[in-house]
Amino acid sequence: MKMMKAMIALLTLTSCAGVGPVDTPSGNPEVTIKSTDTGRIKGALVKSYSEAGFQLTQDTPFNLEFSKQMSFGEAALYTVAMGNSYSSMPNMKIAFTLVTGEGTTRVFAHIGVVMQGVFGQNQGTNLDHGKAGKQVQATLEQLKGNIEGG
């Protein structure tokens, strides 16, 4: 019975996700911005994700990582599929890598859900090819328009 609940939850998660790669060269969320001002790009990302309730957990010259604990309603299916009642609440994690080149900056993104199991093991799933990945891609396209437009 427990296995059946997990399978139903997993099928629900994947069927609603709009599974498929994003229409980019890598198949993951990414964008090329005609600017080498990584400070401005990073500032815009921090502003956008902070306003959405995410916490900045890593900031290096080439990377940004954000985390946000999921609400009970959002987390219920992930907890059933990946954990148990002793697992931590799942966190949504978004990581950005910025790579500058000839007058451009490529911004690569990855999104996923992570949680810690009862004995400390990390459990998670990548959402790059689901609805969340497409939402991150839309955010990156908007960022590109804002940076290049002025």
Side-chain angles (χ1 to χ4, degrees):
M1 184 66 175
K2 189 175 186 180
M3 182 63 143
M4 182 60 129
K5 287 181 185 177
M7 299 236 343
I8 290 171
L10 185 61
L11 288 173
T12 302
L13 288 173
T14 57
S15 66
C16 297
V19 176
V22 180
D23 189 23
T24 62
S26 69
N28 296 321
E30 69 175 79
V31 71
T32 301
I33 300 172
K34 295 177 185 170
S35 171
T36 56
D37 187 354
T38 57
R40 183 172 175 211
I41 295 168
K42 287 171 69 175
L45 287 168
V46 169
K47 181 180 186 296
S48 175
Y49 281 92
S50 293
E51 288 174 351
F54 284 83
Q55 179 180 4
L56 180 64
T57 57
Q58 181 182 6
D59 182 2
T60 69
F62 301 105
N63 297 298
L64 288 175
E65 186 176 287
F66 298 90
S67 180
K68 178 181 178 183
Q69 189 173 50
M70 299 174 81
S71 70
F72 182 76
E74 295 169 325
L77 289 175
Y78 289 101
T79 303
V80 169
M82 298 187 325
N84 59 42
S85 61
Y86 301 106
S87 299
S88 67
M89 284 292 283
N91 288 309
M92 184 73 66
K93 293 239 183 218
I94 304 174
F96 296 95
T97 302
L98 289 77
V99 180
T100 56
E102 297 287 324
T104 64
T105 300
R106 289 187 73 186
V107 181
F108 301 92
H110 293 284
I111 184 167
V113 175
V114 297
M115 60 192 296
Q116 194 167 39
V118 66
F119 295 111
Q121 75 276 23
N122 289 323
Q123 301 165 321
T125 187
N126 183 304
L127 301 176
D128 288 346
H129 294 174
K131 181 179 176 183
K134 294 182 186 341
Q135 290 171 337
V136 171
Q137 181 64 32
T139 301
L140 289 175
E141 295 291 341
Q142 183 178 15
L143 171 72
K144 176 181 177 165
N146 292 343
I147 298 289
E148 291 180 353

